[in-house]
Amino acid sequence: MNVTVLTLFPEMLQAITGYGITRRAVETGLLTVNAVNPRDYTTDRHRTVDDRPFGGGPGMLMKVEPLLAALKAAREQLGVPARVVYLTPQGRKLDQPAVDRLATEPAMILIAGRYEGIDERVVATEVDEQWSIGDYVLSGGELPAMVMIDAMARRIPGVLGHQDSAEQDSFSGTLANLLDCPHYTRPEEVNGLRVPEVLLSGHHEAIRRWRLKQALGRTWQRRPDLLEARQHSPGLNSEEQDLLAEYIREHSE
Ligand SMILES: COc1ccccc1CNc1ccc(C(N)=O)cn1
């Protein structure tokens, strides 16, 4: 997947290109992340990228011309048709299904706005999709862009060490509308705190049921909205219904 970010702060992208799974995805060529800085496409002496809003109001907006010129350069750089995404509080709330679909795009241009956003004429003529990572306002679209890139990178085959299918198959995790179960690793006891015995038992069926019960129970406790969705599509099977009922009984006395 090839991603180009339009940003006034290209160095910020080192937060994903320089560390961990996303760094390795870039190094192995499974992912490319480039930056195009609209400031490099200004023509005035002061390299102006922002201006005051018509009609008054607080703050500044990103000007049209530098953005359009940067978009043109980004499209030429990518060389193939790219999906243009604008990260904004006015966008649709990003979720895993959206990430999974976006991750199938061969090329994307992410516009990271600064100030109070960008001139609407750029949105109207160039943006394909507007996305928000949550109902809060940040100082720029760079962090949301990196959140989207990180989430998409994990869906590219070969990027995750463990078999992708393992993640797909697991009932929990955001892919299956359930919260994940608790996880433990060595030592078996620390500060008097023990690992649940079932996880040490080697009984894979008992472990599977315990993890499913914990995932269902946690979702019931923390995210009833997710559970509601899961109860309708695809619906809880009889084992899941039994395990959830058991968890609720144990957590209601
Ligand atoms: C006032 O900032 C803006 C106003 C309009 C557009 C972009 C920005 C840049 N800031 C952003 C961007 C995205 C998100 C999000 N929730 O995805 C939060 N903040």
Side-chain angles (χ1 to χ4, degrees), residues 86-90 113-117 131-134 136-141 144:
Y86 179 37
L87 289 307
T88 164
Q90 283 72 49
R114 280 272 154 175
Y115 312 108
E116 299 314 305
W131 289 98
S132 167
I133 63 166
Y136 39 83
V137 179
L138 302 168
S139 309

Side-chain angles (χ1 to χ4, degrees), residues 95-198:
D95 59 14
Q96 196 64 51
V99 169
D100 294 356
R101 174 181 61 82
L102 289 164
T104 63
E105 294 288 344
M108 287 179 74
I109 296 171
L110 306 185
I111 302 176
R114 280 272 154 175
Y115 312 108
E116 299 314 305
I118 69 178
D119 186 299
E120 189 64 19
R121 286 166 290 188
V122 175
V123 179
T125 60
E126 298 285 341
V127 170
D128 296 311
E129 304 185 31
Q130 300 183 63
W131 289 98
S132 167
I133 63 166
D135 292 333
Y136 39 83
V137 179
L138 302 168
S139 309
E142 286 81 7
L143 288 173
M146 287 190 270
V147 163
M148 180 179 274
I149 294 169
D150 188 301
M152 291 190 298
R154 298 172 60 82
R155 308 306 298 141
I156 298 169
V159 167
L160 287 183
H162 50 79
Q163 270 311 312
D164 220 20
S165 60
E167 184 164 328
Q168 287 279 3
D169 296 350
S170 74
F171 43 77
S172 63
T174 51
L175 296 183
N177 250 336
L178 287 181
L179 299 185
D180 206 357
C181 61
H183 297 286
Y184 303 83
T185 187
R186 291 181 297 181
E188 288 184 19
E189 177 164 344
V190 58
N191 302 338
L193 301 168
R194 283 195 57 72
V195 170
E197 290 307 322
V198 64

